[in-house]
Amino acid sequence: MIGMTSYDLQACAGIPAATKQLNDTTQIFVYTGTHKQPSYGGSTLIPVGDIVTTISQFGGGGGTTCTAVIRLDHDRVSDVHYTGDNDELFGTDGICSIITRGCARQPEGTMKKSAGGIFGPVSAFHPPITPNQSTSGTYSPQSGSVVLNPDAKSSDPAVIPRTQ
């Protein structure tokens, strides 16, 4: 999805649940998705539901919700982050596929092409390699004039003006 225009992003992932304009060139799109947890009928002979639930809980899976936070810089996707209890039994961020599935199934022309590997460019165990964010997408002119107060025992605020 990296490099995709906001128009193509909305065409394959839908309309975002929320948006936030960070500065003149950068905005955030937030998508949310939920996945129903499979239900297994109770059984007295073989407790399938109990076994699956136990494996999911100890195996790191069992997630049902995901929030995708997508940064657009100059109207192009530059960063994608996932939050929520979004892990499946194998791999991470698997529940988030419900948000990005449309973009993966029919790639848009403005998407960055990824080099394929033995299991493809994207795995359930690692994200694709992406370039660093541009300065305009991560820098706010307001933040350049202040710094974090280095003195933990100071009575001054946590953020203080930058000294020249």
Side-chain angles (χ1 to χ4, degrees):
M1 294 173 47
I2 302 297
M4 182 183 287
T5 65
S6 65
Y7 298 120
D8 282 348
L9 174 63
Q10 292 176 72
C12 67
I15 306 299
T19 62
K20 171 72 174 167
Q21 189 74 34
L22 298 179
N23 60 34
D24 291 341
T25 62
T26 309
Q27 61 189 50
I28 301 291
F29 281 12
V30 177
Y31 290 87
T32 57
T34 58
H35 181 59
K36 286 185 152 185
Q37 191 70 283
S39 176
Y40 303 96
S43 170
T44 56
L45 183 58
I46 301 173
V48 174
D50 295 338
I51 293 169
V52 170
T53 301
T54 302
I55 291 171
S56 292
Q57 295 299 322
F58 288 114
T64 58
T65 62
C66 177
T67 300
V69 181
I70 301 174
R71 181 193 312 242
L72 291 102
D73 187 19
H74 292 90
D75 199 47
R76 299 252 181 191
V77 174
S78 61
D79 206 10
V80 179
H81 296 278
Y82 299 119
T83 65
D85 59 341
N86 53 14
D87 293 345
E88 289 190 308
L89 185 56
F90 294 103
T92 57
D93 301 326
I95 300 301
C96 294
S97 67
I98 59 177
I99 296 171
T100 59
R101 187 177 299 143
C103 301
R105 286 186 177 158
Q106 184 178 350
E108 298 290 339
T110 57
M111 290 172 73
K112 177 183 176 184
K113 304 294 185 249
S114 296
I118 190 167
F119 296 112
V122 181
S123 166
F125 302 100
H126 63 82
I129 297 170
T130 57
N132 290 333
Q133 292 293 316
S134 70
T135 308
S136 65
T138 59
Y139 179 75
S140 165
Q142 296 171 349
S143 66
S145 62
V146 296
V147 293
L148 186 62
N149 186 349
D151 185 5
K153 297 183 185 216
S154 173
S155 61
D156 291 331
V159 176
I160 57 175
R162 181 182 297 273
T163 57
Q164 302 300 350

